[in-house]
Amino acid sequence: MSNIRAAITGVQGFIPEDILTNEELATMVDTNPEWITSRTGISERRILKGKLGTSYMAVEAVKGLLAKTGTRPEDIDLLIVGTVTPDFTFPATANLVASETGCVNAYSYDINAACSGFIYSLVTGAQHIESGRYKKVIVVGADKMSSIIDYSDRTTCVIFGDGAGAVLLEPSADENGLVDFILKSDGAGCKYLHKKAGGSVNPSNPRNVYGGDHYVYQEGQAVFKFAVVNMAQISYDIMERNGLTNESVNWLVPHQANKRIIDATAERMGLPPEKVMLNIQRYGNTTAGTIPLCLWDYESQLRKGDNLIISAFGGGFTWGAIYLRWAYDGK
Ligand code: UT7
């Protein structure tokens, strides 16, 4: 391990204007607002309308981040986008975002780890800083889930939304920054959560387009069981491994998939609700977007030296947890 630590030195989010409420969904599919709120914690989600892709939201977040941190785009060394809804199969969405934001000296690539996309990308970006080779890395989590959701399927359309968030990573001036991480994956989870067509196994054709195979397929209950056990356990494990207690952890930053999964994770860690970041009620599950959007929403409450546990579980399966010491006082 090098003694350079990577710190988050700024965060910015972007959410589309259009709001899709539980009440509106109840006019589209056989559901009711009370079911959605009580089973998931979601009241509304944002939808990016028109012919705009994931990169549109990521670009807005990155532009805001550069302005807010007073960073020149030419000084960015690397830009990573965690996403499962890239603008195109190729090139990478990160390539488009880097060009559009003037990060002309950065190399850029996407990471596909579904709901763990942001934490996988954050760890990857941090290691580039720790190597000593790179000084400024932007990590984005962004998904336009509405582009792969079937709005006649009540089991998935109530859960997901669109959004993006971006952070700047720089070498830490002190002991704050990314301290530890545990990342896991298990491809055996594919059968419970995936998109059936559009890949090399089942390329797009009229039959699978009309058959609805280009939408998210999820066996909700099965995914729930894996998520609730693994996200809670990995969050507890990283706490224990770093000698942290429910007193010394200041914040849990959980992936926002279902409030019941978040509650179970907080309970396993012994954390009260006021230490848990929550915005699922407003944005739903934005996949790779949820964690940077939480950091953005709660930035003003964060203090230098705060102990954050960031954790996620998602398609793959992929899951993990990060222990990060926050590097600046939020305003
Ligand atoms: O972020 C990526 C990883 N994904 C996740 O972490 C998601 C994990 N899964 C979940 O969050 C939950 O499983 C869901 C929110 C997807 C579903 O909640 P659930 O409590 O597991 O519901 P269920 O699938 O067990 O279904 C219970 C009942 C069923 O009716 P019957 O068979 O009991 O009559 C469903 O048909 O609820 C029904 N149902 C609905 N009812 C009203 C399912 N979706 C809806 C709906 N509105 N939207």
Side-chain angles (χ1 to χ4, degrees):
M1 286 271 286
S2 85
N3 48 20
I4 303 171
R5 200 165 261 178
I8 293 180
T9 54
V11 57
Q12 182 70 25
F14 175 82
I15 43 155
E17 269 176 24
D18 281 291
I19 298 175
L20 177 58
T21 63
N22 289 355
E23 287 71 21
E24 274 175 272
L25 277 167
T27 68
M28 296 157 62
V29 289
D30 179 17
T31 187
N32 63 80
E34 204 282 322
W35 188 97
I36 304 172
T37 313
S38 63
R39 302 309 290 171
T40 69
I42 302 167
S43 302
E44 58 187 44
R45 65 290 292 142
R46 300 298 178 110
I47 304 294
L48 182 66
K49 295 209 169 139
K51 261 189 149 250
L52 298 170
T54 294
S55 71
Y56 175 81
M57 298 185 292
V59 164
E60 292 300 314
V62 170
K63 278 184 182 165
L65 178 71
L66 292 167
K68 180 177 178 177
T69 56
T71 307
R72 295 178 341 135
E74 314 86 74
D75 291 340
I76 300 300
D77 301 307
L78 165 65
L79 189 149
I80 305 173
V81 175
T83 188
V84 283
T85 51
D87 286 23
F88 305 100
T89 305
F90 71 90
T93 297
N95 304 157
L96 308 176
V97 176
S99 299
E100 195 64 30
T101 54
C103 296
V104 288
N105 295 315
Y107 84 106
S108 56
Y109 57 89
D110 291 355
I111 287 185
N112 176 336
C115 296
S116 306
F118 182 75
I119 61 169
Y120 269 49
S121 302
L122 188 65
V123 166
T124 307
Q127 288 178 326
H128 284 77
I129 300 275
E130 287 167 15
S131 74
R133 194 166 180 136
Y134 300 98
K135 300 279 182 272
K136 291 184 193 292
V137 173
I138 289 180
V139 176
V140 180
D143 272 301
K144 181 179 174 175
M145 293 306 290
S146 63
S147 65
I148 54 169
I149 293 297
D150 176 358
Y151 284 92
S152 67
D153 172 11
R154 69 176 184 172
T155 69
T156 51
C157 74
V158 302
I159 305 169
F160 292 98
D162 303 338
V167 300
L168 178 64
L169 287 174
E170 294 179 275
S172 178
D174 48 35
E175 76 289 356
N176 295 319
L178 194 151
V179 182
D180 193 15
F181 64 88
I182 309 172
L183 296 179
K184 305 256 190 191
S185 62
D186 181 359
C190 171
K191 61 176 180 280
Y192 302 113
L193 179 52
H194 62 283
K195 187 157 87 70
K196 292 184 178 184
S200 53
V201 166
N202 195 7
S204 303
N205 63 40
R207 214 164 352 107
N208 60 41
V209 169
Y210 287 113
D213 290 345
H214 290 261
Y215 296 126
V216 169
Y217 171 83
Q218 175 171 258
E219 294 179 27
Q221 254 187 34
V223 178
F224 185 91
K225 282 181 194 150
F226 281 100
V228 88
V229 171
N230 288 301
M231 202 165 118
Q233 188 59 42
I234 210 155
S235 307
Y236 178 81
D237 288 347
I238 201 153
M239 244 175 103
E240 198 184 38
R241 171 157 121 175
N242 288 280
L244 295 166
T245 64
N246 56 357
E247 296 280 313
S248 55
V249 170
N250 299 95
W251 293 101
L252 168 64
V253 194
H255 169 53
Q256 312 278 306
N258 187 316
K259 180 154 186 307
R260 290 182 289 143
I261 299 172
I262 297 171
D263 290 346
T265 302
E267 192 182 319
R268 178 84 171 94
M269 298 168 75
L271 296 180
E274 57 273 18
K275 286 189 172 186
V276 181
M277 294 191 188
L278 196 72
N279 59 16
I280 192 171
Q281 66 280 14
R282 287 182 286 136
Y283 307 147
N285 181 351
T286 55
T287 301
T290 63
I291 287 169
L293 284 171
C294 272
L295 293 172
W296 180 52
D297 276 350
Y298 282 81
E299 187 189 18
S300 64
Q301 298 181 51
L302 292 169
R303 293 288 160 267
K304 188 172 179 165
D306 275 357
N307 289 317
L308 274 57
I309 300 294
I310 304 174
S311 61
F313 184 93
F317 292 135
T318 55
W319 68 105
I322 295 173
Y323 166 33
L324 182 130
R325 275 210 293 266
W326 195 250
Y328 62 95
D329 289 329
K331 292 191 188 68

